[in-house]
Amino acid sequence: MLKRHCYGKSDGAVAAYLKGILNKKHRIDRNKELALGFSELEAMEAEGAEVGLKSYSTVLARCGKWKCLSGALMLVEGMRRRGVQPTEVCWEAVVSACSDMDEMEKVLSLLEKASPPQQVTDNMALTIAALLIHEGAKQSALTVLNTTPPSARTTLWHVLHIEAQPNLTSAGHVFDTLPPPVLSQHYLALLKHCAAEGNYQVAKGILTLIKADPSIKVNHLMYHRLLLACLHSTVSSSQLLFSIVNSKLADGLPLTPMDVTIVIQSAARDISDRGCNVEESIALAEAAFHNIALTMDLVPPAVTALLRVYSAAAHKTGPSLDYKAKAQLAMDKHFTSNLRLTAPTHSALEELGTLCGFDHNEVIKLAERAREIGGREAHLIQGYKSVGLA
C-alpha cells in the first residue's frame, strides 16, 4: 500500500512500517486513524482517481496530530515523486509530527534543503517553542517566541510565553501584562508553574479568581494542577487534598483516577515525611485505591502509588511479608484490569520486594495467572447466563 502510494520501497519495508504503526504502544485510536488515512489513499489510487494535494494534506494532518513523523516524511517523499509540491501547511503538519527536538532538528534540516527552501513559519515557531518547553529548554523557547510576533495565534503565543518563564514569579509578571480578555488557557499556564513549584497558596488564589470570572468555567485540568501544587507543597496533607477533592465535587466535576492517585501519593508522603500514623495512612491509600477500582478505570500510576505507600510503611515499621500479600492483591487487580506492566510499577514492586525479602517476579507471575483465571471465570459465567443458570 505505502510502497505504491508514497515512496517506492519494497513490499517488506512497507509491511514492516505498517506493522510498526500497529504495534506501537499508543492508543488504538491513533493506529486506526493513521491506518485509515493510508487506506483511503490506496482506495483512491485503486479507483484510478487522482491523488492530489488535498488528499495528501489530510493524511499529513493526521500524522501531525498523532506525532507520526516517519509516516509524515514518507508522505512528503511520495508527494515529490508524483510531482505534488508540499505546501507551507504540509510542512507545518510535518513539524507538528515531531515528538522531540532530535526529530525537530531533522525536519528543520529538511526544510533548509527543500526546493525551494521552506522558511520557518510563525506556526512552526510556536510548535518548536512548545516542544522546547516540554523538554525543559525554557530559555531557548523564549528566544524562539521573541522572534515570533504575538499576532501569530495570539492566545497560544501568550500561553507559551507564560509557560516558558523560568519561575512562577516571572510568569506572574507576564500574566499581569496580558491584554484582555484573560482566558482559561492563561490561568492554566500559570497553574502549571504552581504545580511544578508546589505553590499551593498561589494556586488556590488563582482558582478563586477563575471562579469569580463568569466568562470562565472551572475544569478538570485546573483542579488537577491545584492538587499537584498541594501535593508538592510544604503544607500538603491528605486531609487538605481531600478538601480540594470535595470542592471539586461541589463544583459539579466528577473525580478522575488521577485525582485519587494524587491522594494515594500523598499517603506515602504522610508516612515518609510527615510522621503520620502508618496504619491510618495505609487504610486511606487502600480506600482510595479501591474507590478507583470500583467506580473508575484503574490506571498504572495508582498501582505504583499504592506500592510506594507499602514501601514507605516498610521503611518505618520494618519489613513484613504482610506487605507481600498486600502487593499481591494490588497486582492481581492491576492484571485483571488488563493494564500493561509499566516500568514505574515494576520498579516500585521490585523495591518493595527487596525491602521485605520476597521475589517480585513471583508476585507478577501469580497476578498474571489471576488474570487468566479471571478471564476463564468471566467466560464461564457468561455461558451460564446464556442457558439460564446464572
Side-chain angles (χ1 to χ4, degrees), residues 188 223 384:
L188 281 167
Y223 265 108
Y384 293 152

Side-chain angles (χ1 to χ4, degrees), residues 242 257 259-265 267 281-296 298 302 306:
F242 269 118
D259 293 337
V260 186
T261 296
I262 290 174
V263 175
I264 301 174
Q265 291 170 335
S281 297
I282 289 177
L284 182 151
E286 290 178 339
F289 180 83
H290 291 303
N291 178 272
I292 298 175
L294 291 173
T295 64
M296 312 174 198
L298 190 63
L306 185 61

Side-chain angles (χ1 to χ4, degrees), residues 259-320:
D259 293 337
V260 186
T261 296
I262 290 174
V263 175
I264 301 174
Q265 291 170 335
S266 180
R269 292 189 61 183
D270 284 346
I271 296 172
S272 60
D273 300 338
R274 304 181 190 114
C276 295
N277 182 278
V278 172
E279 291 182 359
E280 290 178 1
S281 297
I282 289 177
L284 182 151
E286 290 178 339
F289 180 83
H290 291 303
N291 178 272
I292 298 175
L294 291 173
T295 64
M296 312 174 198
D297 292 326
L298 190 63
V299 291
V303 182
T304 304
L306 185 61
L307 294 173
R308 298 289 186 201
V309 170
Y310 295 147
S311 290
H315 275 295
K316 285 287 184 180
T317 63
S320 169

Side-chain angles (χ1 to χ4, degrees), residues 115-276:
S115 180
Q118 173 63 54
Q119 298 296 316
V120 174
T121 67
D122 291 340
N123 283 338
M124 292 180 192
L126 293 180
T127 302
I128 294 168
L131 196 53
L132 286 167
I133 292 170
H134 179 72
E135 296 201 351
K138 292 185 176 182
Q139 188 56 52
S140 297
L142 279 174
T143 301
V144 173
L145 289 170
N146 289 335
T147 61
T148 308
S151 57
R153 297 170 68 185
T154 305
T155 298
L156 178 58
W157 189 92
H158 285 299
V159 167
L160 293 176
H161 204 232
I162 294 171
E163 291 187 355
Q165 297 304 310
N167 52 55
L168 177 58
T169 301
S170 57
H173 290 321
V174 174
F175 182 87
D176 290 339
T177 62
L178 288 175
V182 178
L183 305 176
S184 61
Q185 298 97 311
H186 302 136
Y187 283 114
L188 281 167
L190 206 54
L191 282 169
K192 189 175 183 179
H193 278 281
C194 294
E197 297 183 19
N199 197 321
Y200 168 68
Q201 294 300 334
V202 172
K204 182 180 178 183
I206 293 171
L207 195 66
T208 301
L209 289 174
I210 292 171
K211 290 183 177 182
D213 189 338
S215 67
I216 298 178
K217 187 175 181 180
V218 67
N219 59 39
H220 284 289
L221 187 53
M222 292 169 183
Y223 265 108
H224 180 69
R225 290 180 178 174
L226 179 64
L227 285 166
L228 286 175
C230 181
L231 176 67
H232 298 141
S233 74
T234 56
V235 299
S236 177
S237 68
S238 297
Q239 288 75 16
L240 185 54
L241 285 165
F242 269 118
S243 71
I244 298 172
V245 165
N246 288 331
S247 177
K248 182 179 182 181
L249 291 172
D251 282 332
L253 294 171
L255 298 182
T256 68
M258 290 309 300
D259 293 337
V260 186
T261 296
I262 290 174
V263 175
I264 301 174
Q265 291 170 335
S266 180
R269 292 189 61 183
D270 284 346
I271 296 172
S272 60
D273 300 338
R274 304 181 190 114
C276 295

